[in-house]
Amino acid sequence: MSKERIKELLAQLREEIRTTDIDDELEQLIGQLDDDIDAMSDEDVGSDDLVDMEDVVNRAKELEAGFATDHPTAVRVLREVVDLLVRMGI
């Protein structure tokens, strides 16, 4: 269920920023985060996957920092993504 919610939140994030100007780096980070979450298997995260999960969480936090000033709705969505990722295995 958490992965589905994360995908919903990423779709909401993309909609939020679709009509705003963001730099290429933030756009690339969003794409990478989306790809990473797609690549995560439906199985429980094991200890071997913690480094990868940490990278995903760090990428989400980096995005959050990038949106902090100009995109408060995006920040709220990213905080929820980070919380869900943490609950999934970090």
Side-chain angles (χ1 to χ4, degrees), residues 3 6 17 20 32 40-41 58 60 62 73 82 85:
K3 290 179 187 172
I6 290 172
I17 63 169
T20 62
Q32 289 173 342
M40 292 166 52
S41 71
N58 287 336
E62 197 174 329
T73 301
V82 169
L85 287 169

Side-chain angles (χ1 to χ4, degrees), residues 2-90:
S2 292
K3 290 179 187 172
E4 292 85 20
R5 179 65 182 144
I6 290 172
K7 295 304 289 179
E8 290 171 10
L9 290 168
L10 288 174
Q12 184 180 349
L13 175 63
R14 284 197 181 277
E15 184 62 29
E16 171 71 23
I17 63 169
R18 188 172 56 100
T19 59
T20 62
D21 290 330
I22 61 168
D23 63 42
D24 292 338
E25 182 181 358
L26 288 176
E27 182 67 34
Q28 184 178 18
L29 285 171
I30 292 169
Q32 289 173 342
L33 181 64
D34 198 16
D35 291 346
D36 287 344
I37 291 169
D38 279 340
M40 292 166 52
S41 71
D42 289 338
E43 300 172 12
D44 290 336
V45 175
S47 61
D48 293 341
D49 298 322
L50 286 179
V51 172
D52 294 335
M53 282 292 288
E54 287 177 11
D55 289 343
V56 173
V57 170
N58 287 336
R59 187 170 290 119
K61 287 180 179 179
E62 197 174 329
L63 276 168
E64 181 183 348
F67 288 125
T69 306
D70 298 324
H71 306 284
T73 301
V75 170
R76 182 193 55 77
V77 170
L78 282 165
R79 280 189 189 137
E80 190 171 344
V81 168
V82 169
D83 289 345
L84 287 169
L85 287 169
V86 169
R87 281 188 246 146
M88 289 172 59
I90 297 294

